[in-house]
Every structure is written in structure tokens, then in C-alpha cells.
Amino acid sequence: MSAISERNVVIVGAGPSGLAAAAELVRFGIPCTILDDQKRPGGQYFKQLSPEIQSTQESSPLLDICSHRLVELRCETTVWDFPAPRTLAWVSGTGNGRLKTRSLILATGAYDRPAPFEGWTLPGVVSAGGLVNLYKSQRVITGSRVVVAGNGPLLLTAAQCLLQAGAEVLALIEAAPFATQVIRHFPGLLVQPGLLGKGMGYRFGLWCRSVPVLEQQVVTGARGDQWIEKIEVNALDDKGKICREKRVEFDVDALVTGYGLMPSLELTRLAGCRHSFHSPDGVWVPERSTELESSVSNVYVVGDGASVAGYQNAMVEGRIAALAILNKEQPSSRVSTTLKTILRQRRRQQRFSQALSGCYRTPLDYSALVTPDTVICRCENVLLSEITPMLTDSASVPSLARVKSETRAGMGRCGGRNCMPFLAGLLSSATGQPSEAIALPRARPPARPVRIGDLFSEKLPDPDLPVDPHAPRAVKAR
Amino acid sequence: MSPRVEHEVARGEPFDIEIDGQPIKAYPGETVAAILIVNRIALARTDAADRITRGYYCGMGVCWECAVRIDGRSVVRACKEPAVKGLKVETCLDVGDL
């Protein structure tokens, strides 16, 4: 058998929720280990500026927890499998191994919901998260004449980064009828005056710079030779249908697109957690108890990696999981009182995030954005026209597993993260099955691409005991 | 306007990296992806039938669209690869390399 180290509490992900969990554990004197595959802690929200670049930047006090003596932080460490419940397999540039833990907190964050359209693979088309990251970590942006388009509050953040960098933002294109929906949901937004103020500040910034905000519109195509040059924007009617006759074009050198975020579920699936379909947001989410424990006992799932609700909610959820663990391991009245207070805070956060997603709800059918020539799977360059026959073939039952095996869509390095959510929607539209009836292909290790060389690295702590990636798996992923 | 923000930003001494044989200026702390974007260098993917262009997309290591070959050996994600002096980057990959 291979070398297994043991820990009391392991946290996967050093973003807002993971760090908040660590801080809470440390407050009660409990040590923890944090694994993160990025170079520096902070996750996407607290993404730090590269240390060699100096600029004015607010740094979160939460990051200080990383240097606490009770915290063992391992960056550039990828968790790629769960060979047994609460035993995780990790790999880094300097070694690999397994960690067995009594309690596990998965805080793996979210990523941009992929929404293919004609030309979305052109250089110069970047995701909203990608633009914000580039700005936060290196003070670099993608172009000088930019349109920001899609759905959701991250577009405002992206536009803000571009404006601060001095780019010309030609328009912010929002698919949802935000202005009409915000009135109904305003009371819920008032629960978080700080966040509401921030959002209003961003919109005021757009107004000051005369950036038009075009609502109920959508980018339907991007064109260019080697780099994006032109985009086409169409209006949406109240049912979310694209009005082909109502269109405008923009000359751009970059397009930032984002259609909201989706939880990264590779690890919750490999860990064997049960998931259910959350129809308002159209995503699968891990099932959780009030105290955020998943269906696998002592495995907690927190933050945007469980259900996207923003960094403040993520921090609250990290604290809840930590307190729930404390409550089991060393119960005290101080722990249970704090837990009650934080659970109340979470209810407030949830009210805000529900109101916010209400403001940004759109009936847009993503499958209407693609044409037969649109690339659906970026990794394997699979076009819609190659996939459609699988969906309409009456000889066999269409499924995502079949689409995957016959077209190679979803077989590339991204692990299907960029095409499977869209393909699930497409299959649902084509077959009339409800989205929750569409089974995702089985989650298989590795959760992220890992180099075979790293798994059999000579830098192993104990070279005689390499990890066997083909070892029998104790946990079946759903 | 430069895609490198200059207002209230101080960078170290620039150095050169080599992209497809051309020397390209880089600053300490930048990733290869940032340098590709600043210089508007598209990435090429080839297979028997096709030659397509791609570029930086997700910016968080999910999509692998920014994959490049460095120093003639490994295929890495440009968004995670720090630029160091003299680094040799190839932007054209065969689909089989990915």
C-alpha cells in the first residue's frame, strides 16, 4: 500500500470559504491542512497581485490566516481523486501522496458557465472570470475597444476592471431584463447594503463614462481573421427568444463574456457526494444539511463550489462547516452559540443571493445561440453538426455518455467542464427530457489533468511506494 | 492604449522571452498568457485537416485553451506559466499534443 498521511481536518481550496473555515478552526485552536492548486492562496475572489508587480491593492485580512502556525498550507497541489471516503490523492510538482482525514471541507469554487456561440473560440474572446483574473493578478487587460456581454453581476466587475485600466467599454450587454426585475427583488437586496452599494457604484461608474447598458440583448456571433474584430448583438423578446431582425454590430478588439458561474463539482462527485438538480439556476449541486455536511458523513461542501452565492456567503459557509466540525469533535457552549449566530447570518446571505439571482433571471435558451458550425467542445474541436445526429437518432437512446464516446466531445483536457453543461441543456431541449433526468457522464479520476511523470515522480518522499492510479476504487462516483 | 495598465502600477526591469523564435518583452511577475495577450499573439492548433486559432479564455486553469509548448518539451497552460528570461515558447501545437 502507498504512503498515507493522516490529518484531523483537510480543506480543499484556499479561496474565501476555505480560508474562512481555516480561520474559524484556528480560533478554536484546531490545526488544519489546506490544499490549493493555484500558486498563491486567495482563490479567484481574493486573487493576489503578482508579488513582482506593485500597485495599489486591497489585500484581505483573511489571507493572514495562511501563515498561522496551526495552518499547513500547500499551494500548487492538485487533489485528483478520492480512493476511499475522506482519503484524497494529491499531486504537486514536488511529490504526490494520499491524505486521510477525519473531516473534509471541499471549498473548490466556481467557474464561468460555458455558453457557446458562433466565434466564441476566436482569440480575444475571454471569459469574465478570465478578464478579472488577468487584471487582478497582473494588471493586464485584453483589449482597448471591448464589449462585455452575458448575464449576471460578474459582468459589472469585469467592466469596472476594464474602465480602471483605461479601456473603452463600448457596451455592457445583459441578457436579463435587470431594470424591471430589480424592482421586485429590491427588498431582498437591502439585506446586504454593502454589496448593494458596490453594485450600484459599478453601475454609476458605467453611467459616468457613458457606457450603454443594453438589456435583453445577447451576443450571437463573433468574427475576425486571426483575432476578434466584430460582434453581432441581437435583442431578446420577453420569452427569451432571439429577435433576428433586431441586430447591431460592434467593432471590437476584445469581447468579455460571462453567463454566471457554476460550481466545480469534480471533487464532490469523485468523493461520492449525492447531487440534485437546482432548476432555478439550471445546475447540479451537492445535497447538504443545514450545517453543510454532504451525503458522505464528515465531508462538508462550502462556498461557490456548492452553490454560487458570492464571496460573503462563501465565507459564512466556511465558518459554518468549521463550527459544525468543532461541534462534533469538541462540543462547547461557545461553539454552539457561535454556530447559531452564523447560521442566522447565512439565512441573510441566502436571501440576498436569491434576490440577486432573481434580478438576473433570464428565459434565454442557450441552445438558440449556436449554429451547426459552432464549436461546442473546444478541446476536441467538435462542431454542433457532428453532435446533432446523436441527439435525433431514433435507433438508440441519446445520452451524454453516448455523445461523448461517439464524438469525443468532453474527452479533452478540460474534462468536459466547457461543454457538458451546455450539452446537457441541448439534450434536454432535443429530447424533451427534463434537465434533471439527463445523467452526466460518470466522474472519473483524475479530477484535473495530472502528469503521469508527477505521479511516479523520483521526487517522491518514499520512492518505493508510488501511488497506483489503477488501484481499486472504494467509492463509486455518481 | 496598452493592455498593460501603467497608471499606478510599477513593474520591474523588462527582459526578453522567445515566442516562436521572436524576442518579446516581458516583465517580472507576468505569465506567458499575459504576454501573448499584450502582443495579440494567437495560438494555432493543427491536425491533419485543419488549422484553427485559439487564445486565452478561462484564465483559471480550467480550459487549457492557452496551452503552449515551453523549451521544446512540456505542454503547459500559459495562464499558469511564469515568464522567465530566455523562456522559449511555441504557440503552434498539434491537436495530438493536447
Side-chain angles (χ1 to χ4, degrees):
Chain A
M1 63 169 271
S2 50
I4 300 183
S5 315
E6 297 203 12
R7 293 291 186 281
N8 215 9
V9 185
V10 170
I11 301 168
V12 183
S17 58
L19 293 180
E24 197 67 31
L25 290 164
V26 163
R27 201 167 293 141
F28 286 86
I30 301 281
C32 60
T33 298
I34 313 177
L35 309 178
D36 191 283
D37 74 346
Q38 303 282 315
K39 196 169 197 136
R40 283 181 289 276
Q44 307 304 326
Y45 190 83
F46 294 128
K47 172 79 77 190
Q48 299 178 70
L49 188 59
S50 188
E52 296 94 338
I53 300 171
Q54 271 94 50
S55 182
T56 47
Q57 189 203 24
E58 289 172 53
S59 174
S60 167
L62 195 56
L63 289 164
D64 297 342
I65 199 65
C66 299
S67 49
H68 195 281
R69 65 181 170 82
L70 291 177
V71 174
E72 177 196 15
L73 173 67
R74 296 203 207 158
C75 285
E76 294 185 275
T77 300
T78 302
V79 175
W80 62 277
D81 193 18
F82 287 91
R86 296 186 305 283
T87 296
L88 53 86
W90 61 270
V91 59
S92 75
T94 54
N96 64 65
R98 292 179 181 195
L99 269 182
K100 190 175 179 193
T101 179
R102 276 158 70 94
S103 302
L104 174 68
I105 301 180
L106 292 174
T108 50
Y111 70 105
D112 285 273
R113 174 198 297 272
F117 54 88
E118 189 55 42
W120 75 311
T121 54
L122 267 176
V125 180
V126 305
S127 73
L131 182 274
V132 173
N133 271 350
L134 199 61
Y135 178 80
K136 279 186 183 171
S137 63
Q138 297 166 74
R139 291 295 186 274
V140 167
I141 55 162
T142 44
S144 52
R145 287 173 58 79
V146 192
V147 165
V148 180
N151 173 236
L154 191 58
L155 298 184
L156 287 172
T157 314
Q160 173 79 1
C161 292
L162 288 164
L163 290 173
Q164 274 181 356
E168 190 185 350
V169 179
L170 302 176
L172 188 144
I173 294 164
E174 169 57 59
F178 177 86
T180 28
Q181 296 185 148
V182 73
I183 300 165
R184 187 160 21 116
H185 295 285
F186 204 72
L189 297 179
L190 284 169
V191 176
Q192 285 289 333
L195 286 175
L196 175 62
K198 202 169 175 182
M200 283 167 70
Y202 285 171
R203 284 188 82 99
F204 183 67
L206 293 176
W207 183 78
C208 287
R209 310 272 193 108
S210 316
V211 177
V213 177
L214 310 176
E215 293 185 355
Q216 285 187 279
Q217 308 216 14
V218 70
V219 173
T220 47
R223 293 198 302 277
D225 182 15
Q226 288 284 301
W227 203 271
I228 185 169
E229 291 164 20
K230 218 179 244 309
I231 60 164
E232 194 177 309
V233 174
N234 283 76
L236 294 168
D237 70 11
D238 287 339
K239 293 202 174 77
K241 271 189 71 119
I242 297 169
C243 312
R244 296 284 167 194
E245 68 289 358
K246 287 185 189 165
R247 48 172 279 208
V248 278
E249 289 193 341
F250 289 89
D251 291 317
V252 297
D253 60 5
L255 169 67
V256 176
T257 65
Y259 284 88
L261 301 174
M262 309 184 80
S264 296
L265 299 177
E266 298 76 43
L267 291 185
T268 54
R269 295 181 74 215
L270 284 171
C273 303
R274 200 162 54 229
H275 294 73
S276 54
F277 194 76
H278 182 66
S279 24
D281 296 333
V283 289
W284 289 92
V285 294
E287 293 177 10
R288 298 182 295 168
S289 70
T290 329
E291 295 180 357
L292 311 180
E293 190 172 4
S294 72
S295 62
V296 180
S297 75
N298 297 320
V299 175
Y300 296 79
V301 193
V302 294
D304 283 1
S307 177
V308 175
Y311 79 103
Q312 292 210 341
N313 176 72
M315 291 195 292
V316 166
E317 291 197 357
R319 294 185 67 186
I320 291 171
L323 289 160
I325 291 168
L326 283 158
N327 215 10
K328 276 191 192 170
E329 301 265 319
Q330 40 177 258
S332 73
S333 62
R334 190 176 148 221
V335 169
S336 58
T337 325
T338 320
L339 182 55
K340 271 190 204 124
T341 315
I342 309 293
L343 283 170
R344 263 202 306 279
Q345 280 186 25
R346 176 161 183 260
R347 285 197 286 277
R348 254 206 347 257
Q349 297 289 352
Q350 298 279 309
R351 177 132 192 258
F352 176 83
S353 72
Q354 275 159 20
L356 192 64
S357 40
C359 295
Y360 281 106
R361 194 136 296 152
T362 165
L364 171 66
D365 173 8
Y366 291 107
S367 58
L369 292 178
V370 292
T371 71
D373 291 332
T374 306
V375 174
I376 305 298
C377 167
R378 285 171 166 261
C379 300
E380 301 287 332
N381 203 40
V382 183
L383 308 183
L384 179 68
S385 57
E386 298 170 67
I387 293 164
T388 321
M390 307 287 123
L391 307 176
T392 47
D393 176 12
S394 55
S396 67
V397 185
S399 72
L400 289 181
R402 180 157 177 253
V403 170
K404 188 175 168 181
S405 63
E406 294 201 18
T407 68
R408 295 195 59 81
M411 290 239 200
R413 287 207 180 194
C414 87
R417 274 174 288 184
N418 262 329
C419 63
M420 279 303 156
F422 172 79
L423 284 171
L426 195 66
L427 189 58
S428 162
S429 311
T431 59
Q433 294 178 81
S435 302
E436 55 268 36
I438 310 275
L440 296 175
R442 167 170 295 187
R444 291 177 203 279
R448 300 277 148 98
V450 292
R451 276 204 299 249
I452 295 293
D454 285 342
L455 292 184
F456 297 96
S457 162
E458 286 169 21
K459 290 169 278 186
L460 263 178
D462 185 349
D464 294 323
L465 300 170
V467 170
D468 175 9
H470 305 296
R473 294 172 45 70
V475 185
K476 281 262 189 303
R478 60 165 288 142
Chain B
M1 193 216 102
S2 162
R4 263 191 198 103
V5 182
E6 279 152 18
H7 181 63
E8 289 186 350
V9 180
R11 291 185 171 82
E13 278 301 304
F15 54 87
D16 278 352
I17 67 169
E18 203 182 294
I19 300 180
D20 297 328
Q22 298 292 314
I24 306 275
K25 189 164 77 170
Y27 286 91
E30 290 185 337
T31 58
V32 172
I35 297 156
L36 291 166
I37 285 171
V38 167
N39 294 282
R40 289 179 50 127
I41 298 170
L43 307 176
R45 302 285 178 259
T46 54
D47 64 18
D50 262 330
R51 184 188 168 92
I52 49 181
T53 54
R54 292 292 171 85
Y56 175 94
Y57 177 66
C58 82
M60 49 188 281
V62 170
C63 73
W64 286 82
E65 286 286 81
C66 64
V68 291
R69 188 184 295 284
I70 51 159
D71 292 338
R73 359 168 231 110
S74 37
V75 172
V76 299
R77 284 164 285 188
C79 70
K80 293 189 135 198
E81 192 65 21
V84 291
K85 198 177 169 186
L87 189 77
K88 288 185 173 55
V89 179
E90 290 164 53
T91 62
C92 179
L93 295 180
D94 194 82
V95 172
D97 295 339
L98 282 164

